[in-house]
Amino acid sequence: MRDTSVLYNGKWGVFMHFLSDLYSPQPMTPSVWNAVVDRFDVAALARQLHQVGAGYLMFTVGQNSGFFCAPNPV
């Protein structure tokens, strides 16, 4: 069993999706998706989460679109 104390100690957190069909008015391609992911401001999100007191973030890396926010050789 994994240590889940970060969730308990964090009290509350944020769960978010980052889905390909929400971020581009043009048809999604790997190069368009990579540009969208590269523009994502991780530092700004971290600041916002800290400012509101979120103890953790659950960030989905994909959801059946074929476009994922992580290296994926498949």
Side-chain angles (χ1 to χ4, degrees), residues 10-71:
K11 303 296 182 202
W12 70 275
V14 173
F15 186 100
M16 72 175 279
H17 295 282
F18 191 76
L19 306 176
S20 62
D21 58 347
L22 302 177
Y23 292 96
S24 178
Q26 59 188 326
M28 192 54 67
T29 65
S31 60
V32 170
W33 180 241
N34 285 338
V36 169
V37 171
D38 289 344
R39 284 192 309 267
F40 187 83
D41 192 341
V42 174
L45 176 61
R47 281 191 303 275
Q48 290 172 342
L49 294 170
H50 178 74
Q51 287 171 350
V52 299
Y56 55 88
L57 169 69
M58 291 193 180
F59 186 99
T60 61
V61 297
Q63 191 173 22
N64 301 322
S65 67
F67 295 96
F68 301 92
C69 301

